[in-house]
């Protein structure tokens, strides 16, 4: 089995877990984690994208738990992702903001929430993602250039490249991970 | 009354707003600034006939990483007409340069010799990037398929000169609207005025969504596949070339090509005061039989390009007195 199909298999197992959780949410609670990060209030349907954007795959260590379509007062339904043994850095939090602008990040140490923050999409994004317009100067390998985008909309996501003016949406961001 | 003062100041454009300024995108300019530029251009007309020394001692560098004889000639002639000097290179030398030095380094070298840089580059956004590194003003003379702002200014000048106004006109842009940088810049420029825009192109070469959205936020725009249905309505027809390389197969190209050729037969339904513009070089999208009709104004554009670029160079280098 090659790496690619391991990944597919892993994703399928995750989806099955989600289905189980979804069907029996009255009895089955997502287990608490000791140390790590809980990403809550993810726009429903985007849990797997959050996993993807964080680069979590079959080869990563630690338990990852996903809950989808969890009832939420704020969002109606939401998704939750728990990542055991990993605290997200600000750059990763920014990336999550691109696809789940209402998400909250809870850093857990010894079963306790030690830090809670809402993700916030900055008005200018630098370096996190690439311009999907191939002839854009920001894709040039010989130039000292960092891609810069202006956030023109959060939901739906709308980013404008500082250099070529190209407009990108959520799909353009997801394609890159 | 004093609260009115700042308001009035911001509507009043003077030569000083152009000094040392980069010309990267039409989007960086207000209507008042463009009007002012067009006015200075008309004042340059007599100087284009004779010559002047208002830019004596100034050096303009033309960095052309992509061939464009016409644009380069126009900028150089404008600089010489104003008594300035020109240094630079174009594509053949540039290709050997590409292997070694990058654009960021090139502009940081050239700025030590020149008072201004005129840049043509195949990458989109190249001019904005170069301007971030250069201490001298950068003029975008074409950045990939993205923009060609000075061409748009000369197109506006031509319309103004030939029609006496821009407001209230119905203008059609026809041909390759997707990859045509002149079309992108012109569409932005026309949206500064009260114009109505008709975009005529094959499905595959429709204008980029980001351009359409920006322009449509300001003026009325409609997209068409056929020029004939709108021809009787329009005041200005702007034609661009459709290149066969843009099509995945030749059959598709041959199928659409005929619908985007302007000849006397097509023009039978045009208004008698229609004017036809083209950024040149033209291949066969305008039949040569049209050249001798009063519709054809594309060769006047060339002369207008000279005075508009003279105005821009003089303004940016601070040679225009209030
Ligand atoms: Zn770009």
């Amino acid at each position: 089995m090659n790496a690619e199909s391991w990944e597919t298999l892993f994703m399928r197992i995750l989806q099955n877990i989600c289905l189980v959780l979804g069907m029996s949410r009255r009895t089955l609670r997502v287990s608490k984690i000791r140390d790590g990060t809980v990403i809550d209030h993810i726009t429903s349907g985007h849990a797997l994208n959050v996993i993807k954007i964080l680069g979590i795959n079959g080869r990563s260590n630690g338990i990852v738990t996903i809950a989808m379509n969890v009832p939420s007062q704020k969002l109606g339904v939401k998704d939750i992702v728990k990542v055991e043994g990993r605290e997200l850095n600000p750059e990763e939090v920014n990336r999550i903001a691109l696809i789940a602008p209402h998400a909250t990040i809870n850093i857990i140490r010894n079963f306790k929430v030690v830090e809670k923050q809402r993700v916030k999409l900055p008005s200018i994004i630098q370096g996190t993602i690439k311009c999907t317009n191939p002839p854009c100067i920001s894709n040039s390998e010989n130039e000292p250039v960092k891609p810069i985008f202006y956030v023109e909309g959060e939901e739906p996501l709308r980013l404008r490249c500082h250099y070529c003016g190209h407009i990108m949406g959520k799909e353009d961001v997801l394609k890159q991970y | 009354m004093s609260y009115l003062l700042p308001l009035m100041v911001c509507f009043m454009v003077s030569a000083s707003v152009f000094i040392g300024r980069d010309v990267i995108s039409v989007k960086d300019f207000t209507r008042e600034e463009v009007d002012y530029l067009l006015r200075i251009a008309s004042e340059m007309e007599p100087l284009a006939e004779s010559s002047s020394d208002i830019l004596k001692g100034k050096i303009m560098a033309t960095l052309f990483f992509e061939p464009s004889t016409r644009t380069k000639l126009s900028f150089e002639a404008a600089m010489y007409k104003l008594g300035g000097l020109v240094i630079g290179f174009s594509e053949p030398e540039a290709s050997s340069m590409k292997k070694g030095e990058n654009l960021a380094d090139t502009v940081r070298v050239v700025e030590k010799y020149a008072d201004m840089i005129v840049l043509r580059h195949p990458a989109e956004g190249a001019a904005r990037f170069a301007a971030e590194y250069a201490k001298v003003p950068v003029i975008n003379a074409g950045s990939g398929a993205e923009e060609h702002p000075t061409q748009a200014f000369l197109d506006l000048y031509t319309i103004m000169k030939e029609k006496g106004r821009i407001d209230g006109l119905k203008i059609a842009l026809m041909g390759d609207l997707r990859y045509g940088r002149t079309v992108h810049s012109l569409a932005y420029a026309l949206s500064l005025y009260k114009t109505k825009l008709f975009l005529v192109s094959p499905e595959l070469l429709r204008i980029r969504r980001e351009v359409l959205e920006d322009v449509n936020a300001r003026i009325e725009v409609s997209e068409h596949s056929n020029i004939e249905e709108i021809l009787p309505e329009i005041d200005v027809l702007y034609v661009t070339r459709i290149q066969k390389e843009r099509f995945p197969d030749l059959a598709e190209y041959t199928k659409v090509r005929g619908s985007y050729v302007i000849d006397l037969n097509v023009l039978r339904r045009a208004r008698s005061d229609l004017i036809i513009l083209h950024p040149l070089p033209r291949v066969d999208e305008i039949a040569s039989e049209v050249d001798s009709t009063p519709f054809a104004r594309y060769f006047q554009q060339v002369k207008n390009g000279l005075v508009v670029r003279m105005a821009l160079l003089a303004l940016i280098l601070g040679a225009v007195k209030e």
Side-chain angles (χ1 to χ4, degrees):
Chain A
M1 236 177 181
N2 61 28
E4 193 60 45
S5 46
W6 274 114
E7 204 169 309
T8 325
L9 179 67
F10 176 75
M11 284 311 226
R12 203 171 302 139
I13 293 167
L14 281 179
Q15 282 172 31
N16 288 336
I17 295 170
C18 301
L19 286 177
V20 170
L21 287 176
M23 280 186 298
S24 56
R25 70 183 157 242
R26 216 170 286 174
T27 49
L28 188 64
R29 286 259 169 250
V30 181
S31 61
K32 287 199 163 193
I33 60 173
R34 184 189 177 92
D35 297 299
T37 307
V38 176
I39 307 152
D40 199 354
H41 301 107
I42 298 169
T43 318
S44 172
H46 280 87
L48 294 177
N49 289 331
V50 167
I51 296 280
K52 194 173 168 213
I53 212 166
L54 290 177
I56 293 169
N57 56 36
R59 285 148 291 171
S60 314
N61 293 324
I63 299 168
V64 177
T65 326
I66 301 179
M68 288 170 100
N69 294 328
V70 179
S72 154
Q73 282 190 331
K74 209 164 73 176
L75 302 170
V77 280
K78 64 177 181 180
D79 291 357
I80 305 172
V81 170
K82 299 189 178 193
V83 188
E84 186 97 52
R86 177 165 164 190
E87 292 185 8
L88 299 188
N89 63 41
E91 206 269 331
E92 291 171 318
V93 173
N94 270 348
R95 270 191 259 164
I96 292 171
L98 285 167
I99 54 161
H102 304 290
T104 47
I105 310 283
N106 302 286
I107 306 288
I108 315 286
R109 285 182 204 142
N110 202 17
F111 298 109
K112 284 206 178 74
V113 178
V114 293
E115 204 185 308
K116 193 180 178 100
Q117 64 170 126
R118 262 199 71 177
V119 300
K120 200 181 164 344
L121 204 51
S123 54
I124 297 175
I125 294 171
Q126 278 195 58
T128 309
I129 41 169
K130 283 192 196 143
C131 180
T132 49
N133 180 26
C136 177
I137 189 85
S138 72
N139 290 318
S140 163
E141 282 167 16
N142 314 325
E143 303 293 344
V145 63
K146 210 185 221 184
I148 298 173
F149 296 90
Y150 302 108
V151 178
E152 293 190 341
E154 287 196 2
E155 250 180 337
L157 182 69
R158 186 180 160 94
L159 306 173
R160 187 187 293 264
C161 174
H162 163 69
Y163 289 103
C164 74
H166 183 64
I167 302 282
M168 306 204 310
K170 201 176 264 182
E171 329 69 58
D172 299 301
V173 172
L174 287 172
K175 258 197 313 224
Q176 305 187 17
Y177 294 97
Chain B
M1 282 303 280
S2 66
Y3 66 92
L4 272 178
L5 205 62
L7 204 68
M8 292 189 42
V9 171
C10 74
F11 282 120
M12 249 166 36
V13 172
S14 67
S16 60
V17 303
F18 285 90
I19 297 175
R21 185 159 172 180
D22 298 314
V23 181
I24 307 299
S25 162
V26 170
K27 280 188 281 184
D28 302 336
F29 289 81
T30 65
R31 162 156 186 177
E32 289 71 24
E33 289 168 343
V34 176
D35 281 339
Y36 184 80
L37 171 67
L38 301 187
R39 189 162 69 74
I40 300 299
S42 72
E43 287 173 19
M44 288 289 165
E45 296 262 2
L47 294 189
E49 294 305 324
S50 57
S51 65
S52 133
D53 61 356
I54 60 171
L55 291 184
K56 190 161 183 274
K58 299 287 185 186
I59 295 179
M60 173 183 86
T62 52
L63 312 186
F64 277 59
F65 289 86
E66 205 182 55
S68 165
T69 321
R70 283 153 207 273
T71 305
K72 192 163 176 284
L73 285 178
S74 178
F75 270 106
E76 292 176 350
M79 193 62 180
Y80 287 131
K81 283 281 182 187
L82 297 172
L85 297 165
V86 180
I87 57 171
F89 59 77
S90 61
E91 203 267 328
E93 304 110 84
S95 53
S96 66
M97 201 156 182
K98 249 184 265 169
K99 284 177 211 136
E101 196 169 60
N102 61 24
L103 179 60
D105 287 0
T106 305
V107 299
R108 282 180 289 185
V109 169
V110 172
E111 69 178 9
K112 305 294 185 295
Y113 309 125
D115 300 289
M116 146 190 295
I117 291 173
V118 176
L119 177 75
R120 160 72 60 103
H121 198 280
E124 296 184 22
R128 193 168 296 285
F129 173 71
E132 288 171 354
Y133 277 89
K135 289 194 190 75
V136 298
V138 172
I139 299 186
N140 184 2
S143 46
E146 182 203 10
E147 276 218 50
H148 191 358
T150 62
Q151 175 73 41
F153 294 146
L154 78 88
D155 293 334
L156 285 186
Y157 184 74
T158 306
I159 295 171
M160 182 69 105
K161 202 171 153 184
E162 300 293 327
K163 285 288 188 189
R165 66 193 168 114
I166 301 171
D167 284 321
L169 294 180
K170 294 180 176 175
I171 298 166
L173 308 183
M174 186 180 102
D176 182 351
L177 307 186
R178 182 167 177 78
Y179 299 97
R181 55 180 151 226
T182 61
V183 167
H184 301 153
S185 291
L186 182 56
Y188 289 132
L190 290 170
S191 74
L192 295 174
Y193 294 81
K194 296 182 187 74
T195 53
K196 190 175 173 202
L197 217 51
F198 301 87
L199 303 174
V200 188
S201 73
E203 197 66 47
L204 198 68
L205 299 177
R206 288 263 192 264
I207 204 159
R208 296 170 175 212
R209 295 301 95 178
E210 65 248 33
V211 181
L212 183 65
E213 285 170 16
D214 287 349
V215 171
N216 204 13
R218 291 205 291 236
I219 57 167
E220 199 184 326
V221 185
S222 54
E223 296 189 283
H224 308 264
S225 298
N226 195 321
I227 184 68
E228 307 215 15
E229 62 190 43
I230 54 152
L231 193 64
E233 271 191 73
I234 56 172
D235 302 294
V236 180
L237 172 58
Y238 193 91
V239 184
T240 64
R241 179 152 55 113
I242 291 180
Q243 291 167 280
K244 58 170 172 287
E245 302 83 73
R246 302 292 184 208
F247 290 83
D249 66 289
L250 201 64
E252 183 71 9
Y253 167 74
T254 354
K255 207 170 80 192
V256 303
R257 195 190 143 275
S259 315
Y260 300 91
V261 171
I262 299 297
D263 57 21
L264 291 182
N265 189 36
V266 172
L267 288 171
R268 277 182 312 169
R269 303 191 59 224
R271 295 170 57 118
S272 59
D273 61 351
L274 170 79
I275 61 166
I276 300 176
L277 307 180
H278 190 296
L280 303 179
R282 172 253 320 244
V283 182
D284 53 3
E285 56 278 15
I286 302 177
S288 54
E289 62 191 21
V290 179
D291 297 359
S292 55
T293 67
F295 300 122
R297 305 295 164 96
Y298 24 94
F299 292 110
Q300 277 91 320
Q301 273 172 281
V302 179
K303 187 62 179 290
N304 296 335
L306 179 65
V307 294
V308 167
R309 289 184 176 116
M310 285 168 72
L312 209 51
L313 300 183
L315 281 166
I316 291 171
L317 294 175
V320 176
K321 299 285 165 280
E322 302 285 316

